[in-house]
Amino acid sequence: MPGSNSSESSLTSSSHGSSNLSEKRQADESEVFTRMSYLAIETNPDASSSSRSLPRQKSVLRTIFNIPFLLIMAFLSLPRALIKACISTKDLITLQNGKKIFKILLFLVPIIYAGVYCVGSLSSKRLTEGLASPEMTDLHETELNSLWQSHTLLEEKVHEIELLKEQMDHLRAEINGVMEGILHSVQEILEESDIPGENRDQVLEMINVAFKKVYEDRVQMPDWAQKSIGATIDTDRTSKSYELGKTEGCCFSSWFFSSANPPDIILQPDVHPGNCWAFQGSQGQVVIRLPEKIYPTAVTIQHISKAISPSGDVTSAPKDFAVCGLNEETGKETLLGTFIYDSGKESIQTFQLEGELSKSFVYIKFNVLSNWGNAEYTCVYRVRVHGKRTNSS
């Protein structure tokens, strides 16, 4: 049996050896085939590259043939894409910005409304409290009452002025009639007394002059510079009054009058010796505020005559003077004329202004440029301003 075992082992070893040989032979054959294939590829590279490039050529041709189709599809889908883009953009703007704006407005509108409401409420409350307070009510009532009283008083004054004008015209007519009657009676008496004609004329002339001085004022025009109707003096633009204590022995001594007169004395009809306004030197001015705005047409200057002057002369009378209208707001002067008051003529002299009815004024400036020789002072007795009201034709 040992012999059999050895034979079996030898057979087994021989079979293992044959199998190993066959495996080795197959490996060698495969290696040879691989080397031959590599050699074939290296000896014929065109065949390998052609085999690889064939699929690539097919894909390129397919792409070239698909280009027109792709262009057509892109052209057809372009409007639709644009519409979708617009819609999406619009939706995006509306949704995002709209929400933001709505949130901002939702936050700001109540705040703004509350602020406006609070401010309006406070202002209306203050206004209501101010108007409803007893002090404000009394103040408003007082102001309204004063305005109404002023309006009523002004209407009454205007009515009184018109009545005074009518009365003055009536009195002038009566005085003229009385004077004519007296002169006629005196003439008859002189004729009956067999007085010569020359003496008769002299007597009548003397009587006529006396009547002119005492009874008659030949200025038949309304005077707007009267204190009795509301005319006043603007003292800020008027020269300073003459001080009596500076000069002794002049006509302004204690026997002439006791104290200096204010400037508004020239707005009153009382023209007695010494009843005048005097300023120092030969140059000065006075500004008259009229009771209402008028179109000035003339001025009248009045001074006493030498016959009734205590000093026997009128050297203090104004000589050269100018009349100006002053603008009520700006104070700008408008020259209305320059004139000369002749002390050798009648004591009442009227001068027509230049540019009549061209401008209206409420302030009239009377500017004395020189007098008739008195170096110490100048006397102004009376100044009248004539014209027409702005609201009358």
Side-chain angles (χ1 to χ4, degrees), residues 315-326:
T315 57
S316 63
K319 183 180 179 182
D320 297 296
F321 67 93
V323 179
C324 300
L326 304 182

Side-chain angles (χ1 to χ4, degrees), residues 156-169:
E156 292 177 355
K157 291 293 184 182
V158 171
H159 185 64
E160 290 177 1
I161 291 171
E162 293 177 352
L163 292 176
L164 287 174
K165 290 179 181 177
E166 294 178 358
Q167 293 176 4
M168 289 174 63
D169 294 338

Side-chain angles (χ1 to χ4, degrees), residues 234 237 287-294 325-334 360-364 390:
D234 187 349
R237 291 184 283 187
V287 176
I288 303 172
R289 189 186 189 282
L290 307 177
E292 62 179 280
K293 187 177 287 188
I294 67 165
L326 304 182
N327 185 281
E328 188 174 1
E329 297 178 355
T330 63
K332 183 179 179 181
E333 297 184 3
T334 300
S360 59
F361 301 97
V362 72
Y363 289 96
I364 300 296
T390 56

